Amino acid sequence: MLNADVAATTRALSHLEDSGLVWRSLDGLRAVTGVAALLRGSPGVSGLQPFTGDPGVDQEEVVRRLAAVSAEARAMLEAVDAGGGQASSSRARPRVSVAEASGPAEELIAHGLLVSSGDGMLTLPGEVGLALRGGRTTPAPVDVPPSLPTSSRASTLVDRAAAGAAFELVRNLELLLDAWGATPPRSLRGGTGLTVRDLKATAERLHVTEPTAALLIEVSWASGLLALGTDEEGDPSWMPTALFDQWLQQPLAARWALVAGAWLASPRLPGLVGQRDPAGKTWNALAPDMAGASAVETRRLTLSLLADLPSDEVLAAGTGPAAVVARLAWERPRRPRSRTETRESLVAWTLTEAETLGLAAFGGLAAY
């Protein structure tokens, strides 16, 4: 039933048993209580719902019923399957004959290909989903990770470009913190972020875009080089810390490593700056709640994929980022979505920020 090599399936099953997620009953291997409920109706996994248990409905019968429905009904069924095996339709009657059926939903209910709970919810029975996929739990193989398209690029060129960005990063941080040490920008509402005006002024002073300025400000804070203090008038303001003076005395490589490491370990999401939050308000740089639970993991996974690319190969410019998203979805299919960021945006931000920070260039990771 699983669209995978037998050896890979055996290893996966053994891993599930060792993890205590399945156990050996008298009737064979069974999932522990709660696992089925957690997986049911979840996009990104097979979406295979429980079987109806009707002894008169085998795979041949389901295939025969599938062949009897209209193209519109078949398309709807495939959409329900792709959405996790459940859908809603308040207009479809829960019990209807084939002759009385009106519309794709009722046609599928009449043929027993969708089961109505009576409250508008429709469920795709497990045996129907299996037949839709040709007897498999998923249409594509699950043991083969999505490939990453690459293009040729000399590693020496990647290193030189990334090193240039690293040097520029350190230089801009010095300019930023020197300026804020002389004239600290005041905080919004007692420590809730940086004003849009100050972000714009910082971008103009450093001759960078506002997203880049937001990244520089955020990594300064994550590195401990910037903190909230009080200015000469006692107002909450953003200013460099004592660590900044020590940081200036260190070699260039050590200064860069502190900032790059802080970014890699920070759950902060600089890419949100300038966007709207769920309430419709604009995200400000240094806002206290601008963090993501999966930000650190996504950064590490994304950079590790770049690190595993063959020598003198980099991520393809056009199709590469989307392929990384598909690969991470394969690596972490159950990763929940957030209201503020998606896997797509996290990957895009990671690739862009890594190049701005001097960790990567041209879609390839620097050797250092």
Side-chain angles (χ1 to χ4, degrees):
M1 290 172 63
L2 198 64
N3 198 344
D5 179 75
V6 174
T9 305
T10 303
R11 288 194 301 270
L13 197 55
S14 297
H15 179 64
L16 292 174
E17 190 174 4
D18 292 341
S19 302
L21 293 171
V22 300
W23 60 286
R24 293 187 179 275
S25 71
L26 295 177
D27 296 325
L29 287 170
R30 296 179 62 86
V32 299
T33 301
V35 170
L38 287 171
L39 290 175
R40 190 172 302 144
S42 189
V45 294
S46 72
L48 191 64
Q49 299 291 328
F51 285 54
T52 59
D54 187 344
V57 181
D58 55 16
Q59 283 292 286
E60 291 184 1
E61 173 61 18
V62 174
V63 170
R64 187 190 66 78
R65 294 182 183 181
L66 285 173
V69 299
S70 64
E72 292 80 7
R74 175 67 181 243
M76 178 181 178
L77 201 63
E78 291 175 350
V80 174
D81 182 39
Q86 288 187 320
S88 61
S89 178
S90 57
R91 297 180 179 180
R93 290 171 289 178
R95 292 178 180 82
V96 61
S97 67
V98 173
E100 297 171 335
S102 174
E106 289 191 359
E107 182 181 354
L108 293 170
I109 293 172
H111 282 280
L113 298 174
L114 282 180
V115 176
S116 175
S117 60
D119 58 356
M121 289 302 299
L122 303 175
T123 301
L124 184 75
E127 61 268 29
V128 178
L130 206 63
L132 272 176
R133 306 182 189 103
R136 304 279 192 158
T137 57
T138 56
V142 294
D143 59 334
V144 180
S147 61
L148 298 179
T150 63
S151 57
S152 299
R153 182 78 68 169
S155 58
T156 53
L157 182 60
V158 171
D159 289 348
R160 286 199 300 269
F167 178 84
E168 187 73 9
L169 167 73
V170 173
R171 173 181 171 274
N172 279 331
L173 289 178
E174 291 178 15
L175 294 174
L176 166 68
L177 295 169
D178 274 336
W180 283 17
T183 310
R186 291 182 178 178
S187 171
L188 281 168
R189 298 181 295 278
T192 57
L194 185 73
T195 67
V196 175
R197 182 183 66 249
D198 286 323
L199 175 64
K200 182 178 179 63
T202 299
E204 291 176 351
R205 181 184 298 114
L206 300 178
H207 302 289
V208 298
T209 64
E210 290 187 25
T212 298
L215 175 62
L216 294 172
I217 293 166
E218 285 286 337
V219 296
S220 296
W221 183 84
S223 305
L225 303 175
L226 178 71
L228 187 64
T230 54
D231 61 15
E232 295 178 352
E233 299 178 5
D235 293 317
S237 303
W238 299 102
M239 55 186 61
T241 64
L243 179 62
F244 174 60
D245 295 326
Q246 302 173 24
W247 182 75
L248 288 174
Q249 305 305 316
Q250 297 178 5
L252 177 64
R255 278 182 276 169
W256 172 81
L258 173 69
V259 175
W263 169 79
L264 189 61
S266 173
R268 303 280 298 172
L269 300 171
L272 281 178
V273 175
Q275 298 189 26
R276 300 283 181 177
D277 66 12
K281 297 181 180 179
T282 301
W283 286 104
N284 293 94
L286 301 173
D289 53 351
M290 194 174 65
S294 59
V296 175
E297 181 188 47
T298 301
R299 286 194 193 114
R300 290 189 172 275
L301 286 173
T302 300
L303 296 187
S304 69
L305 291 178
L306 296 185
D308 291 338
L309 294 178
S311 178
D312 295 327
E313 293 286 326
V314 298
L315 201 64
T319 56
V324 171
V325 173
R327 178 63 173 269
L328 294 188
W330 184 86
E331 297 276 1
R332 298 289 188 275
R334 293 283 294 165
R335 179 64 58 227
R337 285 180 173 267
S338 166
R339 293 184 302 166
T340 56
E341 78 279 354
T342 63
R343 183 183 277 120
E344 292 82 359
S345 58
L346 283 174
V347 168
W349 293 338
T350 295
L351 295 173
T352 300
E353 292 170 10
E355 296 201 358
T356 302
L357 295 171
L359 287 146
F362 305 118
L365 204 63
Y368 55 81

